[in-house]
Amino acid sequence: MMRILFFFIVVLLLGVGFAWLADRPGDLVLTFAGMQYKVSLMVAATSIVAIVAGVMLSWWLVKSIVTSPYALRRHFRARKRDRGYQSLSTGLIAAGAGDGQTARLMIKQAEKLLNVDQEPLIKLLDAQAAMLEGRTDDARAKFEAMLDDPETKLLGLRGLYLEAQRLGARDASRHYAEEAALLAPNVEWAATAALGQKTTHGDWDGALLLLDKQKATKQIDKEKAKRERAVILAAKAIETYESDPVNAKPLAIEANKLAPDLVPAAIVAAKSLFAQGDLRKGSKILEYTWKREPHPGVADTYVHARVGDSPIDRLKRARHLAGLYPHHAESNLAIAHAALAAGELKEAREAAEAVLRSTPRESAYLLLADIEEAQTGDQGRVRQWLSRAVKAPRDPAWTADGYVSERWAPASPVTGKLDAFVWKVPVEQIGPVIDAGDDFDKALATEPSRPEQPTIEAKPILPPRKQDTKSQPVELPEDQDVVDAEIVPFEPPTQQTAKASLDKSSANSDSPQRIASVLPRLPEKPKESTSEPFVGPVPDDPGVKPEYKSSQSNKKFKLF
């Protein structure tokens, strides 16, 4: 645009000048070699301009002819370079897409068209192609060769760090990350990786020093720096608390001030305060954290704040804590655990069942199994709760990058990322919600019966009534003997026999549907008699000795 404007201005000035000369007539007299030449002023000006333009054109032609070999070489060199960069670009795209064969072909073309020593991207593409082809040793050697060049040293450290992470060589990855952080402190991946590696290996002071350097260079914002400092201080306090609770106290309190919602920091701060007898301040810390995020660790620490408390006192503290966040699953679980320890089994059962109605989970079913064993001792019900616990969704746990841990850690063991653990249900373990039901009897499975003798009509063993299952074990009627636990031949009953048995026992049952649900499926009678009698195995019964059978024939038998 500026060139067009400049050209327009020059043409405008020339036009104005010629117009000015045309308005002022005059002659130009030139004497040369005894000859006198007389021309008008306009002709003289036009001649001068034409001579200057001719000289400039002649000079351009001569210069173009002289410099044409160099211009041709430069043209072909630029064309070759453009083709090389095009091959390099195609190779990088192929490597990013996982096409190792195309990447290797483009490397060969780029090496022919470009200077390998002056173009570091060829080395990078060569290393990536080696990784795609599975030649990890060659890729590692190429990354190590990049360390000799200051221009590609950081790139080589990055490649070696990723390769060490892939192979699980934590010490090597830590070394490369620290070296890259020293070489370029402003590179985020190097500083973050070095910080995570120091935290994973327990170098708390080194991690805090590196974090301060990042904060000074403004690599991370203030809020993130505060959070990461709180994580490191909390981890250091947890490690120090077991051996030196006094020195762990200031670290834990500072971590709790920097991140009040960090559960491990609140727990270790409260424990250090409880150890020194400061019950009020430690309880306030836990209560504040509980209001923001209920956690079973917070509840356990709060309930067991004083060593000499009785189970009733701990139950009172659990009720107070649950009142700060009512109707939450963790609140009900805290009450259920404390009530079970205090012997308040009814309250413990109600709290555990409230969890099943809102968010069924594995721990609630296990807790109900303990309550059932303590309250009724019915092993059948206990096994029922345990079987439902196996299929129930898992409880929340500390999860980071797909890794589930029983304890909190400051950094992820997979990637080394700081503050990666989150309290949540593991994603791969989420399952369908199991309907707890209002009545336990509806979920209670009843085993089918079998006939006593080959010639006796088969009678189903009916389950107890709904109101009887809550306070006493299930027993057979008084007039029914124990079935002989041995394999005996018998003639299978027909469908008419089963129907008659159903009509006969309908007076002592709750409903025909209930009987139909427990009535065993009877095999059809064969049309022709076989040479061998039908042998019906008794499910879940290995049999008894003959002498033991006669002595035990008059005793009652429990279903569970």
Side-chain angles (χ1 to χ4, degrees), residues 446-449 458-463 498-521:
T446 307
E447 294 183 359
S449 63
K459 294 178 64 178
I461 301 176
L462 300 179
K499 183 177 181 181
S501 176
L502 178 62
D503 297 337
K504 183 178 180 180
S505 58
S506 60
N508 298 326
S509 62
D510 291 341
S511 64
Q513 291 78 8
R514 179 104 180 194
I515 297 175
S517 64
V518 299
L519 187 63
R521 187 182 299 275

Side-chain angles (χ1 to χ4, degrees), residues 107 110-123:
I107 289 173
E111 289 177 349
K112 295 178 181 178
L113 300 173
L114 298 175
N115 189 354
V116 181
D117 297 333
Q118 297 180 357
E119 186 50 58
L121 288 178
I122 297 179
K123 300 178 182 178

Side-chain angles (χ1 to χ4, degrees), residues 317-356:
R317 290 183 63 83
R319 292 171 181 168
H320 175 72
L321 185 65
L324 301 177
Y325 206 128
H327 309 298
H328 193 275
E330 297 297 343
S331 300
N332 292 323
L333 286 176
I335 293 178
H337 282 287
L340 177 61
E344 299 291 337
L345 301 180
K346 182 178 179 181
E347 184 178 2
R349 181 183 289 273
E350 292 177 354
E353 290 177 350
V355 177
L356 296 185

Side-chain angles (χ1 to χ4, degrees), residues 404-428:
V404 181
S405 175
E406 296 181 358
R407 296 183 179 181
W408 175 83
S412 170
V414 180
T415 61
K417 182 181 178 182
L418 195 64
D419 192 25
F421 276 94
V422 181
W423 181 257
K424 65 177 183 179
V425 178
V427 178
E428 68 276 6

Side-chain angles (χ1 to χ4, degrees), residues 117-405:
D117 297 333
Q118 297 180 357
E119 186 50 58
L121 288 178
I122 297 179
K123 300 178 182 178
L124 174 62
L125 181 58
D126 194 8
Q128 289 182 347
M131 294 178 65
L132 289 174
E133 295 172 355
R135 297 182 289 107
T136 56
D137 295 337
D138 294 344
R140 194 179 307 111
K142 295 180 186 302
F143 283 125
E144 290 176 353
M146 295 181 187
L147 301 180
D148 300 333
D149 188 359
E151 187 178 5
T152 59
K153 184 175 182 179
L154 187 61
L155 180 61
L157 290 174
R158 170 70 171 174
L160 292 173
Y161 168 76
L162 294 177
E163 186 67 16
Q165 285 281 73
R166 188 184 64 84
L167 296 176
R170 297 184 178 180
D171 294 337
S173 63
R174 177 186 180 185
H175 168 72
Y176 294 132
E178 291 179 352
E179 188 174 353
L182 294 176
L183 180 63
N186 58 338
V187 178
E188 184 178 0
W189 73 265
T192 304
L195 184 62
Q197 293 290 342
K198 288 180 179 295
T199 305
T200 304
H201 289 79
D203 187 5
W204 314 118
D205 296 333
L208 291 173
L209 182 60
L210 183 58
L211 184 62
D212 292 338
K213 289 182 179 180
Q214 292 183 11
K215 185 178 179 181
T217 56
K218 297 182 179 181
Q219 288 182 244
I220 56 178
D221 54 10
K222 293 183 180 180
E223 294 299 327
K224 185 177 179 181
K226 288 173 59 179
R227 177 75 180 187
E228 292 183 351
R229 182 176 180 84
V231 170
I232 297 174
L233 290 175
K236 185 177 181 180
I238 292 173
E239 183 179 337
T240 311
Y241 176 77
E242 299 295 335
S243 58
D244 193 358
V246 177
N247 292 331
K249 176 183 175 181
L251 298 174
I253 292 177
E254 183 181 357
N256 181 253
K257 289 181 179 179
L258 292 174
D261 58 338
L262 185 61
V263 174
I267 293 176
V268 70
K271 285 183 177 180
S272 61
L273 291 171
F274 292 156
Q276 298 182 11
D278 196 347
L279 182 65
R280 184 181 62 84
K281 189 175 181 180
S283 299
K284 285 186 176 181
I285 291 176
L286 294 178
E287 290 173 359
Y288 179 81
T289 306
W290 182 267
K291 292 178 182 178
R292 303 191 67 174
E293 183 182 359
H295 190 276
V298 175
D300 184 71
T301 307
Y302 187 86
V303 171
H304 298 82
R306 289 179 296 199
V307 180
D309 280 352
S310 64
I312 300 298
D313 294 334
R314 292 174 181 172
L315 178 58
K316 292 179 180 180
R317 290 183 63 83
R319 292 171 181 168
H320 175 72
L321 185 65
L324 301 177
Y325 206 128
H327 309 298
H328 193 275
E330 297 297 343
S331 300
N332 292 323
L333 286 176
I335 293 178
H337 282 287
L340 177 61
E344 299 291 337
L345 301 180
K346 182 178 179 181
E347 184 178 2
R349 181 183 289 273
E350 292 177 354
E353 290 177 350
V355 177
L356 296 185
R357 287 191 295 268
S358 59
T359 54
R361 57 177 63 183
E362 180 183 358
S363 60
Y365 288 105
L366 296 177
L367 182 59
L368 277 169
D370 295 337
I371 295 172
E372 193 70 49
E373 185 174 9
Q375 188 174 15
T376 64
D378 190 346
Q379 295 301 318
R381 289 174 174 268
V382 172
R383 287 195 298 270
Q384 179 68 19
W385 288 122
L386 293 177
S387 65
R388 298 181 75 181
V390 174
K391 301 178 182 179
R394 285 191 58 182
D395 289 63
W398 291 112
T399 307
D401 299 322
Y403 178 83
V404 181
S405 175

